[in-house]
Amino acid sequence: MLEIRRLVLLRELAIRGTIAAVADALNFTPSAVSQQLSQLEKETGTQLLRKAGRRVQLTPQAEVLVASVGEVLDTLERAEARLQAAATRVTGRVRVAVFQSAALAFMPATLRAMASLHPDVRIEMTQREPEEALRETWARDFDMVIAEQYPAHAAPHHPGLDRRDLTTDAIRLALPPVPESLHPVDSLTTARHMPWVMEPRGAASRHFAEQVCRRAGFEPDVRYETADLQAHMRLVESGNAVALIPDLIWAGRSTPARLLELDGAPRRTIFTAQRLAGSASPAARAFRDILEQTVRHSAAPA
């Protein structure tokens, strides 16, 4: 029988691309990973890897094994979930990836409720950009992800993930508190004269914001780039920039910034996703249910 741990290393190589990345993710040395994969080739009697410059590629035979490993891991995850469900108390660990504004708006109350209702469940939260986090949840780095989807910019699809919508929030033009005397800013059209703050290129929010400006007939003067939406808020509130900001970022606080609705009233969708194989886990189910209750009772726009 093939050694499952070596098969997992082969699957990790298919996902992460390099032996060094596998070693880093699993806290191995690259030489240890290489040795285990060489041993797997001996066990199977088949060439699984071939050199491609300084990297290695999986052979077709290795790809067949990788697909089977995914099925085996799904079976083991379902078995673990059934075992946990047979216990009298909800226990276990839930690893959650979440983007910044959702972490600030929803996680404090959710964590308090989990600690009160299910004290034996350990919640581990890591901030991640949504597209990266979806892939990492599919790859089993996380058990669940709280992610976002901007209008006309679908989130990546990964097979075997169960998606459930949490809420939506409006995306508005955020303007400084007091219009400048020389260049009054009171609309998207007049905002073309202001510096803009946006997330880095590649982010769904950046693509959305650029498209909104281009449809309005101008290219935004993006002087400030940061993935930190709290920095966006401060730059707008201090009069240094304008931005397109979802309502959730303002949850629980007042702002002197002026928030104007955009044509078409676009809304961002916030959702959770987890592997179907782990959906029967009592700990994960409890966390998801409490999170949904938190969002329903939240003062954040919905």
Side-chain angles (χ1 to χ4, degrees):
M1 184 174 293
L2 298 177
E3 171 58 59
I4 184 65
R5 287 173 295 182
R6 295 185 182 121
L7 290 170
V8 168
L9 287 177
L10 185 66
R11 180 180 183 271
E12 290 291 325
L13 180 58
I15 291 171
R16 303 184 191 277
T18 67
I19 287 176
V22 173
D24 183 61
L26 301 182
N27 295 318
F28 286 7
T29 64
S31 61
V33 174
S34 295
Q35 290 170 8
Q36 291 297 309
L37 292 175
S38 295
Q39 186 61 37
L40 182 61
E41 286 189 317
K42 292 178 182 178
E43 290 178 354
T44 60
T46 303
Q47 181 183 5
L48 300 175
L49 306 175
R50 58 184 172 217
K51 287 191 175 182
R54 295 184 177 180
R55 302 173 64 130
V56 293
Q57 290 182 339
L58 273 65
T59 64
Q61 292 84 355
E63 297 287 358
V64 170
L65 275 180
V66 167
S68 299
V69 175
E71 296 171 5
V72 170
L73 293 177
D74 283 347
T75 299
L76 291 174
E77 189 169 7
R78 284 191 292 268
E80 184 178 6
R82 286 195 293 268
L83 180 63
Q84 292 172 347
T88 56
R89 293 173 64 88
V90 179
T91 62
R93 178 181 67 158
V94 183
R95 301 164 300 167
V96 184
V98 58
F99 64 97
Q100 184 190 50
S101 54
L104 293 171
F106 302 140
M107 290 302 292
T110 300
L111 293 173
R112 284 196 302 270
M114 282 294 298
S116 175
L117 297 173
H118 305 290
D120 295 327
V121 175
R122 175 185 173 91
I123 304 297
E124 297 177 358
M125 181 184 74
T126 303
Q127 183 177 320
R128 281 286 196 278
E129 292 304 306
E131 293 195 4
E132 176 187 11
L134 281 163
R135 187 174 188 276
E136 290 175 330
T137 302
W138 168 79
R140 290 183 161 79
D141 290 344
F142 298 102
D143 301 305
M144 191 176 303
V145 56
I146 305 172
E148 62 182 355
Q149 180 170 293
Y150 276 76
H153 195 286
H157 172 76
H158 296 285
L161 289 187
D162 170 42
R163 169 176 163 163
R164 285 187 356 206
D165 289 351
L166 269 176
T167 188
T168 66
D169 61 340
I171 306 167
R172 305 180 199 272
L173 176 63
L175 301 174
V178 180
E180 296 182 357
S181 58
L182 294 179
H183 299 289
V185 181
D186 56 10
S187 68
L188 182 61
T189 301
T190 55
R192 72 174 65 203
H193 303 296
M194 285 286 292
W196 284 73
V197 56
M198 293 186 183
E199 292 198 54
R201 291 188 183 278
S205 62
R206 174 66 174 263
H207 177 262
F208 169 79
E210 288 179 334
Q211 292 302 308
V212 167
C213 294
R214 289 167 185 167
R215 284 195 297 269
F218 68 95
E219 192 69 24
D221 177 11
V222 183
R223 298 190 198 178
Y224 315 113
E225 285 191 3
T226 174
D228 186 346
L229 291 186
Q230 292 193 88
H232 291 217
M233 293 163 46
R234 297 305 176 94
L235 286 169
V236 171
E237 291 173 336
S238 62
N240 288 290
V242 297
L244 297 178
I245 299 181
D247 276 355
L248 186 63
I249 196 65
W250 310 106
R253 72 187 295 275
S254 60
T255 177
R258 293 170 295 137
L259 305 178
L260 301 184
E261 190 155 325
L262 297 168
D263 289 345
R267 300 183 73 84
R268 175 183 63 165
T269 301
I270 300 168
F271 63 94
T272 58
Q274 71 174 130
R275 290 181 303 282
L276 284 167
S279 59
S281 162
R285 186 188 301 127
F287 172 81
R288 207 176 199 184
D289 289 346
I290 288 174
L291 172 64
E292 290 173 350
Q293 292 171 19
T294 297
V295 172
R296 283 197 298 270
H297 296 117
S298 172

